[in-house]
Amino acid sequence: MRKTTLVIAMFAAACSPADSADTTTSTEPSLPSTTSASPVTTTTAPPATTTIPPTTTTSLGDTTTTTELEGNWAHGPLVTTGFGALGWWDGSGWLDAESEGALPVAGGEDYQVIVLDQLGRTTGGAQITVCEPLDLISVELADPELLGQFPGPYGVAISAPWPLQPHLFEVVTDDGTYAGFAAQLLAERGLDVAEPVIKQLFRTDLEGDGINEVLVVAEEVSPGFIMEEGDYSIAFMRKVVDGEVQTAILGETLVFDEMDQFGAAHFFGGVADLNGDGKMEIIVNAAFFEGFAVEVWEYVDDDLGPLLVLQMGCGS
């Protein structure tokens, strides 16, 4: 029987004890749930011992300051990539670039670039089309390599002057706790993996409220994204809400049948304040055979959790 799951946008709540980044013991989730998880015992993860490999960037200085940068900024804070624009915030809501059809740029605007915790700065031209034959609208960036390389992690560029990463974002190492959480999530979906491989693990404070979120990618995917039976990639966020741990699934690929060849590998491209409200959004990548996608998730509130607000993809 052929069964494949490829989900780039879904929300789930899971019940388990608090994460290593949290100090509160959890009992029962209060958010809407599409899956359930049995309680497990956690241990405290050690302090971060790894760092993100450096990339060549132009330093933007201390992002904890509220001082705006000087520059020639777009009429709207356009969020874009090297192969397609995502959209921008108009002061009251998110506008999708493809739906709008015209970008708020004339050419020559400045852009801040962020990938993981690395910041840079570049300039962009007037509106163009990219990614044939889809002909997505975008701008040509002077230094697109600052965004990262396929398959990721891959960031975004935004024409806006405020600090992009005003709150905590750091790499942490896993002592087996998050591999255990990943194994539990995979088992709920019908895939038994004794020791999932943790590819990314970050601690962050999206809202600056002192309550940390943890971002995790567990993944084992065949080279070239030609999937084999047992391959998996799952990106999720854990957060304590009113003393209870909530789990949000931000992307997943599970391969149950050797005939199912295509799926996506997921990466977190970082977190950044993309609408100037002082809270950070989550950048999620999905790399697949002959294609790539970038998504922006906004943590709306503790009732709605993270919602997908912008996305674009280029590929066959």
Side-chain angles (χ1 to χ4, degrees):
M1 179 177 180
R2 187 171 183 230
K3 180 181 179 185
T4 297
T5 303
L6 172 57
V7 180
I8 307 297
M10 68 174 289
F11 178 74
C15 170
S16 61
D19 297 291
S20 61
D22 309 311
T23 58
T24 307
T25 302
S26 64
T27 54
E28 184 71 18
S30 60
L31 299 188
S33 175
T34 58
T35 62
S36 61
S38 57
V40 296
T41 301
T42 67
T43 57
T44 301
T49 58
T50 61
T51 58
I52 300 170
T55 58
T56 301
T57 64
T58 302
S59 175
L60 298 180
D62 182 6
T63 59
T64 61
T65 179
T66 57
T67 302
E68 292 191 347
L69 298 173
E70 294 184 359
N72 177 31
W73 307 107
H75 297 302
L78 176 64
V79 181
T80 189
T81 70
F83 49 89
L86 285 87
W88 64 96
W89 179 262
D90 72 349
S92 60
W94 296 98
L95 300 180
D96 175 75
E98 288 299 314
S99 297
E100 293 298 311
L103 303 179
V105 298
E109 287 84 6
D110 294 311
Y111 291 81
Q112 295 191 69
V113 177
I114 187 163
V115 53
L116 299 180
D117 66 347
Q118 301 296 311
L119 297 166
R121 186 162 174 172
T122 189
T123 58
Q127 180 172 319
I128 59 173
T129 58
V130 296
C131 190
E132 294 181 357
L134 297 179
D135 291 333
L136 304 177
I137 59 174
S138 188
V139 296
E140 184 176 2
L141 298 173
D143 301 292
E145 68 276 3
L146 294 180
L147 288 163
Q149 301 293 327
F150 181 88
Y154 192 86
V156 298
I158 177 172
S159 186
W162 53 75
L164 296 187
Q165 210 165 76
H167 311 304
L168 173 71
F169 179 74
E170 63 181 4
V171 179
V172 295
T173 54
D174 188 26
D175 63 352
T177 298
Y178 289 94
F181 293 151
Q184 182 177 329
L185 291 172
L186 293 170
E188 290 171 0
R189 289 154 174 76
L191 191 65
D192 292 325
V193 182
E195 297 182 359
V197 177
I198 301 300
K199 286 296 184 69
Q200 288 183 310
L201 180 58
F202 303 108
R203 180 184 293 120
T204 188
D205 184 359
L206 297 174
E207 300 169 289
D209 59 1
I211 300 176
N212 294 336
E213 295 82 20
V214 178
L215 303 176
V216 189
V217 171
E219 180 177 283
E220 195 161 16
V221 172
S222 300
F225 311 116
I226 304 298
M227 301 296 180
E228 297 180 0
E229 183 178 355
D231 282 1
Y232 61 90
S233 178
I234 186 165
F236 59 97
M237 183 190 84
R238 289 172 63 89
K239 178 182 175 69
V240 171
V241 177
D242 295 330
E244 301 168 358
V245 175
Q246 310 300 320
T247 299
I249 307 300
L250 304 181
E252 66 179 305
T253 294
L254 308 177
V255 182
F256 298 92
D257 192 308
E258 62 183 6
M259 298 300 292
D260 296 320
Q261 292 187 326
F262 302 107
H266 300 88
F267 300 88
F268 287 110
V271 298
D273 179 7
L274 299 178
N275 62 359
D277 66 353
K279 301 177 182 180
M280 301 187 296
E281 284 72 49
I282 306 167
I283 303 162
V284 179
N285 311 150
F288 48 94
F289 181 70
E290 295 186 347
F292 194 73
V294 177
E295 301 175 342
V296 171
W297 292 73
E298 178 184 23
Y299 193 86
V300 179
D301 55 41
D302 291 341
D303 292 323
L304 295 176
L307 294 181
L308 180 63
V309 294
L310 293 175
Q311 62 181 327
M312 60 78 53
C314 175
S316 58

